[in-house]
């Protein structure tokens, strides 16, 4: 899979900023690759880059239109098809992170064929995985877990990769979702793997490595989310992490998309250790990453201090304050 | 999906009896539907029914050859293709519980087309599920869980359905694997569902029902199996059971297929309650089903008594002694 850069970011008419988190993540980590955003009337998200039409995107050199949104079920809304066909007619490839296969929409398949363009479905794995084995592999692994979905697990993993490298560790981000794959150019969307192979896919993503090498695995979902906990658990077992970081959003009142209560950070630490020790008895929590975007700086600092005091672990907002303290902890422990 | 009966049971040259558990389950619960078994040289399993060739199966009225085996990954061995083509040429349909889609093998697709026969892949869901919602549904639900894979979860669920009906309860078995689908004629192979939709599929399998109606959901895997725990957890969350029965095989030394230790029955009870209360806070264990096939009757009785005393719950071997005591407990509690 080789998706050509730069990208035109298509976010349609999504209902909120969270629904455009794929696109926002790509812009945050690979801004140079994004020539602009294409939004439809009524769009409630904004990537903070130029609004461009397809023609202007072409003039700016765009090679691929990225459908950078998530929605429950990952279905492609019918009224987006027209924009996708226009992009193909303008000579762009199209890459999607939705569950719907682009080529399963006849107008899109025809337009791609007519223009000799490529369609990419990063969320649909093209590999046949084995079932997980649970056997301990060489190398060190860290995974990000969450009190909920959409709380910063990918951001935290990417920030940890960057900081670990800066502090002299040999580390690689391992993408498990569409955004991570767009950012790193490899990985597997584990939520799209056939359920029998979740832990096997996680083992494939993070193969045996040098004893001092760190894989920083992007977590998915939450052990406490009634829709997705199975994915979270399979990924945890297959990753067999030595270390994990809990990600949290302090203003969230209910689990994303469902009327369920949020677990506490302590519940997530305990459940992750209880489940994770099945494939790695040494698993331990090395820090807490709090998404304080909704708080002002004073409130954010107070929130981090309170959590750090309660849990006795390095606690930070990776976007605001970096993850240096967590990586120092990792270096001290391993 | 309408699979025509009676069946010719194909078990190939599988390496042990457990690998033929799909076929054995169908024979145990629907013996009248099975005209005989077809085994290849070297087969280590025996269904205890007549060995017949394809021609003889046809004379006995077989309408469908059932590929009744499980193997890690669910792949179709190449040397079985010839038997499948022969069955199609003899006018039989073919139904498979493997992950491999029969029509993806060109010789099989051609033979089916040439003879106007149907191919069924009961393990490959044909429905687009929604993601799980976690919202409490009306009706009562019981799920079977296990200390391991292949310990009798399906048998126990089928025995509970039969006994509940005999004791006057309104109960339906809900199939979540290929054997159960062959036996009950409906259901979803949840291990073949895309990971994002495991709990959503479980919600679909067991919809809202009359407040006094019992769905008896066939469990899958084990929360303690490093290959499949994600499936188990998603199914548990989607089923939101009021009650569960722990299934156990007392002579098993390691988890099936992997070098991992077995959990205790108590660990399974605790982990199931801890995880299950996310979608049903009232979840409780109502009994223990022990597969004592490997023990003589005295040893079996001693084993059951020991477990019953330790856990304080009705404990039985469903095959040997039935599940009347567990159903009495259910009636007393709900």
């Amino acid at each position: 899979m080789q998706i050509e850069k730069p990208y035109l970011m298509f976010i349609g008419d999504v209902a909120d900023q969270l629904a455009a988190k794929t696109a926002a993540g790509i812009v945050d980590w690979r801004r140079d690759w994004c020539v602009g955003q294409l939004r439809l009337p009524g769009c409630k998200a904004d990537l903070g880059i130029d609004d461009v039409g397809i023609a202007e995107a072409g003039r700016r050199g765009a090679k691929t239109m990225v459908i950078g949104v998530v929605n429950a079920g990952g279905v492609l809304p019918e009224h987006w098809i027209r924009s996708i066909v226009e992009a193909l007619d303008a000579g762009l490839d199209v890459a999607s992170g939705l569950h719907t296969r682009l080529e399963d929409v006849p107008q899109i398949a025809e337009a791609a064929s007519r223009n000799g363009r490529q369609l990419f479905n990063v969320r649909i794995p093209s590999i046949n995985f084995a079932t997980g084995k649970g056997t301990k592999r060489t190398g060190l692994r860290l995974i990000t877990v969450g009190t909920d979905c959409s709380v910063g697990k990918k951001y935290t993993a990417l920030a940890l990769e960057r900081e670990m490298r800066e502090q002299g560790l040999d580390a690689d981000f391992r993408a498990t979702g569409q955004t991570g794959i767009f950012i790193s150019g490899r990985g597997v969307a584990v939520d799209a793997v056939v359920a029998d192979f979740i832990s096997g896919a996680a083992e494939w993503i993070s193969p045996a490595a040098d004893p001092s090498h760190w894989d920083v695995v992007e977590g998915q979902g939450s052990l406490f989310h009634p829709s997705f906990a199975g994915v979270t658990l399979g990924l945890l077992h297959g990753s067999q992490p030595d270390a994990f970081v809990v990600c949290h959003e302090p203003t969230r009142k209910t689990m994303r998309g469902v009327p369920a209560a949020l677990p506490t950070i302590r519940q997530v630490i305990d459940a992750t250790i209880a489940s994770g020790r099945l494939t790695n008895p040494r698993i331990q929590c090395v820090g807490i990453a709090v998404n304080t975007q909704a708080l002002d700086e004073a409130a954010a600092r107070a929130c981090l201090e309170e959590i750090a005091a309660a849990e006795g672990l390095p606690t930070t907002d990776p976007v605001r304050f970096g993850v240096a303290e967590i990586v120092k902890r990792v270096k001290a422990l391993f």
Side-chain angles (χ1 to χ4, degrees), chain A:
Chain A
M1 188 174 71
Q2 188 62 42
I3 304 176
E4 277 198 77
K5 302 171 286 275
Y7 301 153
L8 165 62
M9 307 306 299
F10 176 85
I11 54 173
D13 53 353
V14 294
D16 62 19
Q17 190 68 18
L18 260 182
K21 72 169 185 169
T22 297
I26 300 168
V27 172
D28 277 338
W29 291 94
R30 300 290 185 266
R31 191 173 193 116
D32 291 351
W33 298 359
C34 303
V35 305
Q37 64 183 343
L38 176 54
R39 301 190 289 170
L40 298 181
C43 185
K44 297 287 190 302
D46 185 352
L47 303 177
I49 58 178
D50 293 351
D51 281 295
V52 295
I54 286 169
E56 173 61 19
R59 282 190 290 275
R60 293 182 181 203
K63 293 281 189 291
T64 301
M65 184 166 90
V66 170
I67 304 182
V69 295
V70 290
N71 52 344
V75 173
L76 177 68
E78 282 226 24
H79 61 288
W80 293 3
I81 294 173
R82 186 173 174 174
S83 303
I84 296 169
V85 169
E86 275 180 40
L88 292 163
D89 283 339
L92 274 65
D93 291 340
V94 177
S96 161
L98 300 171
H99 278 301
T100 307
R101 207 182 283 265
L102 289 171
E103 49 268 50
D104 287 349
V105 179
Q107 303 101 296
I108 296 175
E110 282 160 29
S113 167
R114 181 170 70 233
N115 294 289
R117 305 318 315 164
Q118 290 197 82
L119 302 173
F120 298 95
N121 302 287
V122 303
R123 199 166 189 168
I124 299 171
S126 50
I127 297 152
N128 285 321
F129 299 103
T131 54
K133 291 289 163 268
T135 315
K136 189 79 185 71
R137 306 187 293 284
T138 53
L140 295 158
R141 283 165 195 87
L142 182 153
I143 193 169
T144 51
V145 300
T147 50
D148 193 4
C149 302
S150 306
V151 290
K153 291 185 291 290
K154 178 188 66 270
Y155 268 73
T156 302
L158 284 161
L160 284 164
E161 176 199 47
R162 186 158 64 189
E163 180 66 28
M164 284 172 138
R165 288 176 175 183
E166 275 175 24
Q167 293 195 26
L169 295 173
D170 183 16
D172 283 305
F173 171 77
R174 298 299 188 188
T176 62
Q178 62 270 35
T179 314
I181 297 172
F182 281 123
I183 293 170
S184 73
R186 54 187 163 73
V188 175
V190 292
D191 62 359
V193 169
V194 166
D196 227 9
F197 303 100
I198 309 174
S199 65
E203 293 182 358
W204 182 91
I205 288 167
S206 162
D210 188 87
S212 64
H213 176 272
W214 281 95
D215 272 342
V216 183
V217 181
E218 175 194 3
Q220 291 292 335
S222 166
L223 286 176
F224 292 85
H225 198 295
S227 309
F228 308 117
V231 176
T232 310
L233 184 62
L235 178 58
L236 177 63
H237 283 160
S239 300
Q240 50 186 229
D242 304 278
F244 67 94
V245 171
V246 178
C247 303
H248 180 61
E249 208 286 69
T251 68
R252 196 77 58 91
K253 298 293 178 230
T254 60
M255 302 293 276
R256 178 149 172 85
V258 295
L262 249 73
T264 64
I265 290 170
R266 176 46 51 185
Q267 284 178 302
V268 172
I269 293 174
D270 291 345
T272 304
I273 291 172
S275 296
R277 69 161 70 105
L278 183 71
T279 55
N280 190 341
R282 299 193 321 160
I283 186 170
Q284 60 181 297
C285 186
V286 295
I288 298 160
V290 184
N291 179 346
T292 64
Q293 197 172 9
L295 306 176
D296 66 28
E297 182 153 337
R301 288 191 186 279
C303 172
L304 296 178
E305 274 165 32
E306 190 187 338
I307 293 170
E311 304 301 340
L313 288 162
T315 303
T316 185
D317 180 330
V319 176
R320 230 164 184 159
F321 306 116
V323 292
E325 293 307 311
I326 295 177
V327 174
K328 277 183 203 161
R329 175 88 165 205
V330 166
K331 290 182 75 170
L333 286 169
F334 295 91

